[in-house]
Amino acid sequence: MNKKVILFDINETVLNLGALKPIFKAAFGSEDALSLWFSKLLHLSTVCITTTVKSNFAELARITLNTVAANYKIQLTKGQRTELLGTFSNLSPYSDIKPALSKLRQHGFKVVALSNSSLTLIATQMEYAQLTDYFDDIISVEETGSFKPDPTVYKFAAQKLQQPIDQLCLVATHDWDTHGALSVGLNAAYIDRTGVPYNPLYLKPKMYSNSMMDLIDMIIADKQ
């Protein structure tokens, strides 16, 4: 039997975007600037998927920053742009992540980072967060020329890992990512980081919790 692989979404699932909030507030003068930027970034990536526009997450992040600046009718300085995007490389992990990854590996699972970010950015994030040794592998969508939740991305991960797709399980805090994984035959476990209701139109995972360690126990039990 193949070793079951647990994929982890990175931004917001593993890494806490909280460090970005004061920087975005200072630049845009609004508490909502970060959430607006992130939602527009995801929207732009989804449009690129649907219309087969080739880009990368760094470029989309820069474009979206300009969109948000226009929304707030401000002109960002070069220094502000550098700080806003640079901080994305220097995020801390949630306190439950290292124990969760360690427990999964102790129970024989392989844990893999899967992100829309470039491989270079993910590696930088992992190094800063001191998580490099906690993951068995890192996969970026950049080789596919697309982004999650494009089915191509999840299939690419399975091919990259040389695993049957039903042997993969995605842990994510985004309902659209969870739905995307389930849509192509992966298992999924949803960690509720925000309290925002899961979209009722999306496929729902059988493993769902606001506690990462409880979710990990579900994943381990599901293997039995």
Side-chain angles (χ1 to χ4, degrees), residues 137-219:
D137 205 348
I138 295 174
I139 297 176
S140 166
V141 306
E142 64 183 342
E143 289 184 54
T144 69
S146 191
F147 307 99
K148 295 186 292 177
D150 185 345
T152 302
V153 171
Y154 305 105
K155 293 174 183 177
F156 168 77
Q159 292 168 357
K160 187 90 171 176
L161 295 163
Q162 298 183 321
Q163 289 280 350
I165 206 160
D166 62 1
Q167 286 296 307
L168 303 180
C169 177
L170 175 72
V171 177
T173 192
H174 304 292
D175 53 5
W176 53 266
D177 197 3
T178 305
H179 169 74
L182 291 169
S183 297
V184 294
L186 277 79
N187 298 297
Y190 181 78
I191 175 68
D192 182 1
R193 293 288 197 198
T194 64
V196 175
Y198 191 96
N199 193 313
L201 299 178
Y202 294 166
L203 293 173
K204 298 174 180 61
K206 62 182 179 180
M207 294 175 284
Y208 187 124
S209 180
N210 60 7
S211 164
M212 179 61 83
M213 295 313 294
D214 286 350
L215 201 64
I216 296 308
D217 288 340
M218 292 179 201
I219 292 171

Side-chain angles (χ1 to χ4, degrees), residues 20-205:
L20 292 169
K21 290 181 179 179
I23 299 172
F24 269 75
K25 183 182 178 182
F28 296 103
S30 171
E31 296 277 359
D32 299 324
L34 175 59
S35 59
L36 178 63
W37 173 75
F38 201 65
S39 63
K40 283 185 175 293
L41 175 58
L42 296 175
H43 177 263
L44 178 55
S45 68
T46 303
V47 172
C48 289
I49 293 168
T50 306
T51 58
T52 64
V53 174
K54 301 301 180 184
S55 185
N56 59 68
F57 221 54
E59 182 180 25
L60 300 189
R62 289 192 295 271
I63 292 170
T64 307
L65 204 58
N66 292 335
T67 303
V68 173
N71 185 82
Y72 286 103
K73 295 180 173 56
I74 65 170
Q75 186 69 42
L76 294 173
T77 66
K78 183 178 179 180
Q80 286 175 312
R81 294 174 192 278
T82 300
E83 183 180 23
L84 288 164
L85 296 175
T87 306
F88 209 66
S89 303
N90 302 321
L91 300 172
S92 298
Y94 283 98
S95 61
D96 53 20
I97 288 299
K98 289 182 180 179
L101 296 175
S102 296
K103 188 168 186 177
L104 283 172
R105 295 174 81 181
Q106 288 165 8
H107 281 80
F109 290 88
K110 181 176 182 177
V111 293
V112 177
L114 175 64
S115 178
N116 278 340
S117 299
S118 69
L119 190 59
T120 299
L121 176 55
I122 305 168
T124 301
Q125 289 178 318
M126 294 298 99
E127 183 176 358
Y128 181 86
Q130 298 183 336
L131 290 174
T132 304
D133 294 336
Y134 285 81
F135 283 99
D136 296 298
D137 205 348
I138 295 174
I139 297 176
S140 166
V141 306
E142 64 183 342
E143 289 184 54
T144 69
S146 191
F147 307 99
K148 295 186 292 177
D150 185 345
T152 302
V153 171
Y154 305 105
K155 293 174 183 177
F156 168 77
Q159 292 168 357
K160 187 90 171 176
L161 295 163
Q162 298 183 321
Q163 289 280 350
I165 206 160
D166 62 1
Q167 286 296 307
L168 303 180
C169 177
L170 175 72
V171 177
T173 192
H174 304 292
D175 53 5
W176 53 266
D177 197 3
T178 305
H179 169 74
L182 291 169
S183 297
V184 294
L186 277 79
N187 298 297
Y190 181 78
I191 175 68
D192 182 1
R193 293 288 197 198
T194 64
V196 175
Y198 191 96
N199 193 313
L201 299 178
Y202 294 166
L203 293 173
K204 298 174 180 61

